[in-house]
Amino acid sequence: MSTWGLVPPLALDSRTYPSVFKILGMLALRRCLASRTVSLRSHSLWPLRRNCRPINLLIRPQSTKAIPSQSIPTDQRVKHSPKNILIVNKLRTQPVVQAIGAFLQHVNQKYPGVTVFHEDRDDKPPGTEVWSPSSPQQIDLVVTLGGDGTILHASSLFSKGAVPPVLSFSMGTLGFLLPFHMDDFDKALESVFVGKATILNRMRLACTFYNNELTRKSQDGDDWQVMNEIALHRGSSPHLNTIDIFVDGQHLTEAVSDGLIVSTPTGSTAYSLSAGGPIVHPSLSALVLTPICPRSLSFRPLVFPSSSIVTLKIGERSRSPAGISMDGRSSHILNPGEFVVVQASPYPVPCINRSSIISSSDEEQMKHSEGAGPGKEDDWVRDINNLLQYNATFRSKALLRHSRT
């Protein structure tokens, strides 16, 4: 008999292989989750897996495939002039209304062949077309006006596929994702249309939820795409969560805490940073695991490569369910025995860099100064100093004031 006495080896043919290995994989996962170890090397299934890769619904969801970090280019240029532009803005205060009006007037005069779209909302600006994620029109450029939350909302609009290049303008709120001021929108647009704009691909996370029966909790079958982080938390419950953490199929630890955060490098400077997580440069492809008020003093934040698959399972002994927050949006409740699989999404968010719109006069001046050359200035380094005031002492405050001028 073969492994676990299911099917005699001679009875297998090419048509029965997929079904048999799917059954073997599911049985192995049930057995492993019950004992909090999913290292397939410890089971007799491993010799079969080396040759025929069984289907594993828990470790690798069907609709999203984790990809190595080398396959996602981190810095490239916008190659084609946009034909369709989508405006995503925060609530229309008077400054936002004026900014959108000036933007639309500029686009109509200088780029008459461009169509501008907007979400189907009550504050849709006049002169724009209605667009929704189900619309057939392909968006070539996303222009956001607002804070960091506006970019996160724009990312959520493209949860089923690739995200167009994102050109973000700050409207009173400075953050890590807002490289441009609204006064520079004409130069920023020109750099896009002439092909000088460079982009930084900020990775996203694909999150899939499963119940006790190892079937998806989501009815539509789509994975959630998050740009900052997914957070499991105890919500209003007075009890701590007990969460089993699996990394690439191996049990890492049992976390007893207020919750856990799995963030991208972009999200490392958001909720994860407040919880004591590390600061990670956005050009890296990595997953950051940060505990929220753990009961153990030895539970420190961890950084995994983007090829890792992290599974967070609510322990059977957990006295309360865990609420799920993804990019600040509440979505699911995980009860004991249920779990979420988190891995790198194949669809990053391409954000246009501020350094790509340096004027010719600035370029000539930078040739005779120290630091990075034109088009190579690191926006993140500037933000980490000016916005976070990273490691700012009394002595260096004068340098910070000088760098803003």
Side-chain angles (χ1 to χ4, degrees), residues 159-190:
S159 60
K160 296 183 180 181
V163 184
V166 178
L167 183 62
S168 55
F169 296 100
S170 62
M171 293 297 299
T173 303
L174 295 178
F176 281 93
L177 305 180
L178 303 171
F180 298 98
H181 193 274
M182 195 58 202
D183 295 341
D184 299 326
F185 74 86
D186 53 345
K187 293 189 295 182
L189 278 179
E190 182 181 2

Side-chain angles (χ1 to χ4, degrees), residues 318-338:
S318 184
R319 301 176 62 185
S320 63
I324 304 294
S325 175
M326 294 183 288
D327 284 350
R329 298 171 295 160
S330 298
S331 59
H332 290 74
I333 297 293
L334 290 183
N335 296 304
E338 298 179 334

Side-chain angles (χ1 to χ4, degrees), residues 68-142:
S69 59
Q70 292 84 354
S71 61
I72 300 180
T74 57
D75 199 354
Q76 56 187 355
R77 291 185 181 273
V78 179
K79 298 180 180 179
H80 304 288
S81 298
K83 299 297 182 182
N84 298 323
I85 297 178
L86 174 65
I87 294 181
V88 180
N89 60 276
K90 65 178 184 179
L91 294 178
R92 294 188 66 189
T93 60
Q94 188 60 30
V96 175
V97 172
Q98 296 176 355
I100 293 179
F103 178 84
L104 291 176
Q105 182 180 3
H106 178 78
V107 170
N108 293 332
Q109 291 178 355
K110 193 166 184 178
Y111 312 103
V114 174
T115 304
V116 181
F117 293 87
H118 193 274
E119 293 181 79
D120 189 9
R121 300 186 339 197
D122 295 337
D123 60 349
K124 187 181 80 70
T128 60
E129 302 290 335
V130 175
W131 183 88
S132 66
S134 60
S135 299
Q137 293 87 356
Q138 180 178 356
I139 300 299
D140 304 312
L141 177 68
V142 178

